[in-house]
Every structure is written in structure tokens, then in C-alpha cells.
Amino acid sequence: MPEFLFQRVALIGIGLIGSSLARVMEREKIAAEIIVSTRSENTLKRAEELGLGSRYYLDAGDAVEGADLVIVCVPVGASEAVAKQIAPRLKKGAIVTDVGSVKKAVIAAMRPHIPQDVYFIAGHPIAGTEYSGPDSGFASLFDGRWCILTPEAGEDATALDKLVEFWKACGSTVEVMDAEHHDLVLAVVSHLPHIIAYNIVGTADDLETVTKSEVIKYSASGFRDFTRLAASDPIMWRDVCLNNKDAILEMLSRFSEDLSALQRAIRWSDGDALHQLFTRTRGIRRDLIDAGQETSEPNFGRQHENGEPAQ
Ligand code: NAP
């Protein structure tokens, strides 16, 4: 009999992240039992067809009974309702975590409902694609990616160690940081780029002098990479914007100032300023490839194991 890290893991939400976790847990034999819960009958049926768990529930409360680890994988805005639903059914000594892209708001929404005899440690795997639902997940999603855990001060060290071990077994490298700092960092590296992409793609769509077919035809010249980000799940990104308002607004105002400086350099034909900025940013791209967070292959090497484009 293999020794499992957890006996029973309950996944609340079985979309891209939940189903990827189910797949990697199966691949790595992390849990003896994987319990799946989602709110809609259609998604639950699909998860069952895909064989993502051993038991399936529409009621999240039913799913968490007896679970040693509960991972909430729903849009950030649904975290509080899920916490309320599962709280009375959680096993004493269980670990509850989440995967939401925003941390301070999720902790504020969930923590008050989690019983004192249950450990709660929020988390965020820095891994994803623009696809959603149980079919979009894949076992290698977390391989070589970071996972950030944001325990509150005084949280139990053994529970934290166990969660760190879990994410390592899923292929990730774990970093522990303060929730507020997480939200600021992610506002720069993830939230701002998505907002800019949504904006650019929206602007191109509104143009009257350049036709839609021209935008699509010549998209390989740069636009295409923005469309990938702008195709990300609208509910997830609505919730990210609504729940990380302060950090996002701060980054957007910094961005607007820098954009004005760039606009000025173009207006005044300041080639040196443009060249200097573009050289500096090219260096950042190189650092990123060196750090193994991207590839230098065409199309960013985006293929996952099903042969479909990922990330
Ligand atoms: P997803 O593929 O859209 O799946 C969402 C899951 O949550 C589905 O099971 C869905 O259930 C359920 N759900 C949706 N709205 C709900 C609600 N109001 N109440 C209860 N359940 C609800 O989403 P995902 O991409 O896996 O994202 C899940 C979480 O991971 C989000 O918090 C997101 O911020 C975070 N995250 C995402 C990425 C990414 O790239 N996608 C990366 C890192 C972290 P039904 O299908 O049954 O309606």
C-alpha cells in the first residue's frame, strides 16, 4: 500500500485549477481518496465522466465530511458563500486552503467562518491558462511553477509544512508571504497585464477605420498575445478586479504616468528615451526565460500534454 500524504482531499470547484489538482493528485498518488464537489449538475457529471474523483457531490458541505484537506477552487467572489456552507461540516484538525488569485479579500471572506479547530491557510498557484472547466485541466499545470501560501501570523507550523509538502508533490516550488504583499506583487505581474489586454482588445474591437477582419488577419504582429490574456474567464477576472481594488488602482495610476512619459517621448521624437526603455524591457524578458518561467520558442512554446495550446 502506498503511503499517501492525505487520506481524503475534497475539491470544492472542479474547473481548470480543481481538475488539474485532481489529475496531479492521481498522477503523484497524493491522496487515497479525492472527493469532488461543484455547484452545477452539468459540471459534476462531466467531472464524473472524466473520472476526476472517487465520489461526487453537488453540496459542498457533504463533500468536506471527513476530509483531511479541503481545497476551495471557485471564483474569489464565491469564497465566502463556500466557507459558510462547508464550515459546520469540517473535520477537527482538517486543513482548509484555496487557490484564489487574490489573498487579502479571500482571507477576510473565509477566515471568520472557519472553526477554531480547523487550520486555514490561503494559497495561490501561479499557474493557469485562459481555459475554464473540468476538461481544460491537466496534470502538469503546476510543474515548475510557483505556489504562494499566505498564512496568517501564528498559524500552525505543522499544517503549513504539510501544505508546502502538498504543493511540492504537485510539482510546484512554494513561497510563503504576507497576503497584502502577495496582492501587490500579483497586481503588477498578473492583474495589470490582464487589464491592459482587456483594454487593448476592446479598443481594437471598437475601431472603425481598421476592420475586424484586418485585426484578425494581421494579429501575429503583436495583438495575438494580448488576445490570449483577454480571453481569460470573465467571472474570474471580474472578481479579481473587485477584490484587489487598492493594489490594482495603485498599479494603474503608476502605469498611466509611465504611459504619459512614453507618449511624450514619441511626440518629441526622443529616440534615446525610447531605445533606453525598450532595451531595459528586453532584458526583463531574458531574465524571465533564464528563470525558467517562459521559453524562447515561437508562440512561447505553449503546448500542453494534450497537444493543445496552454497558458
Ligand atoms: P473555472 O475553470 O471557471 O472553474 C470554476 C469552478 O468553480 C467550477 O467548478 C464552478 O462550478 C465553480 N463555481 C463558479 N462560480 C461559483 C459560485 N458562485 N459558487 C460556487 N462555485 C462556483 O475556474 P478556475 O480557472 O479553475 O479558477 C478557480 C480559482 O482559481 C479562482 O479563484 C481563480 O482566481 C484561481 N486561479 C485561476 C487561475 C487561472 O489561470 N484560471 C490561475 C490561478 C488561480 P460550475 O461549473 O458547477 O458552475
Side-chain angles (χ1 to χ4, degrees):
M1 271 287 280
E3 206 166 295
F4 296 101
L5 190 55
F6 288 98
Q7 274 306 304
R8 189 180 295 176
V9 177
L11 293 169
I12 311 302
I14 195 74
L16 169 74
I17 302 294
S19 73
S20 295
L21 281 171
R23 289 172 170 105
V24 69
M25 279 196 275
E26 176 62 25
R27 183 187 78 184
E28 298 300 323
K29 305 281 168 252
I30 293 172
E33 239 191 318
I34 299 170
I35 314 297
V36 172
S37 171
T38 190
R39 63 176 177 167
S40 76
E41 276 178 28
N42 278 349
T43 306
L44 195 68
K45 187 165 162 270
R46 188 62 193 140
E48 197 163 357
E49 283 163 4
L50 292 166
L52 296 173
S54 42
R55 279 187 283 136
Y56 302 85
Y57 295 97
L58 280 175
D59 186 321
D62 290 343
V64 302
E65 273 208 356
D68 312 292
L69 175 65
V70 175
I71 312 176
V72 177
C73 310
V74 300
V76 165
S79 313
E80 181 165 23
V82 168
K84 276 188 192 164
Q85 206 183 350
I86 62 174
R89 314 281 290 274
L90 290 164
K91 180 172 117 171
K92 183 172 180 250
I95 300 174
V96 176
T97 187
D98 80 306
V99 295
S101 308
V102 165
K103 295 280 53 94
K104 233 176 92 178
V106 166
I107 295 172
M110 292 185 73
R111 177 79 261 185
H113 304 288
I114 306 295
Q116 286 305 315
D117 57 5
V118 169
Y119 305 110
F120 175 68
I121 301 166
H124 178 203
I126 313 298
T129 76
E130 66 275 32
Y131 301 105
S132 309
D135 285 281
S136 64
F138 50 102
S140 59
L141 179 65
F142 310 106
D143 284 351
R145 299 293 182 205
W146 288 96
C147 178
I148 300 177
L149 298 180
T150 59
E152 290 165 282
E155 193 54 75
D156 184 81
T158 314
L160 177 60
D161 285 349
K162 197 131 189 231
L163 198 56
V164 169
E165 223 182 308
F166 170 83
W167 280 105
K168 283 185 177 169
C170 292
S172 296
T173 310
V174 180
E175 183 107 342
V176 174
M177 69 172 74
D178 173 70
E180 189 160 348
H181 188 62
H182 164 280
D183 289 355
L184 197 63
V185 172
L186 267 293
V188 187
V189 299
S190 170
H191 308 169
L192 189 63
H194 277 84
I195 290 165
I196 293 167
Y198 281 121
N199 195 48
I200 288 181
V201 175
T203 303
D205 193 45
D206 290 341
L207 287 178
E208 281 150 16
T209 44
V210 179
T211 65
K212 215 174 249 185
S213 67
E214 281 173 315
V215 169
I216 293 167
K217 192 163 149 193
Y218 303 120
S219 66
S221 51
F223 184 71
R224 184 185 60 186
D225 293 328
F226 285 107
T227 62
R228 184 184 66 78
L229 289 184
S232 299
D233 188 68
I235 293 175
M236 168 180 161
W237 284 95
R238 176 202 66 191
D239 285 5
V240 167
C241 290
L242 297 179
N243 288 281
N244 196 20
K245 234 186 218 178
D246 293 350
I248 290 175
L249 289 176
E250 166 65 22
M251 288 310 148
L252 272 175
S253 69
R254 294 280 291 264
F255 172 79
S256 304
E257 275 174 34
D258 292 345
L259 192 61
S260 299
L262 191 54
Q263 202 174 351
R264 193 180 157 77
I266 296 170
R267 185 179 310 285
W268 295 103
S269 301
D270 187 349
D272 288 347
L274 296 175
H275 186 259
Q276 216 173 22
L277 173 69
F278 300 163
T279 307
R280 182 155 60 95
T281 55
R282 185 180 237 196
I284 292 170
R285 166 97 190 136
R286 291 214 182 100
D287 291 348
L288 201 139
I289 293 167
D290 290 348
Q293 292 300 308
E294 187 52 285
T295 82
S296 52
E297 289 165 48
N299 197 24
F300 304 107
R302 288 190 174 101
Q303 294 285 318
H304 67 60
E305 60 201 16
N306 300 329
E308 288 161 9
Q311 281 244 72

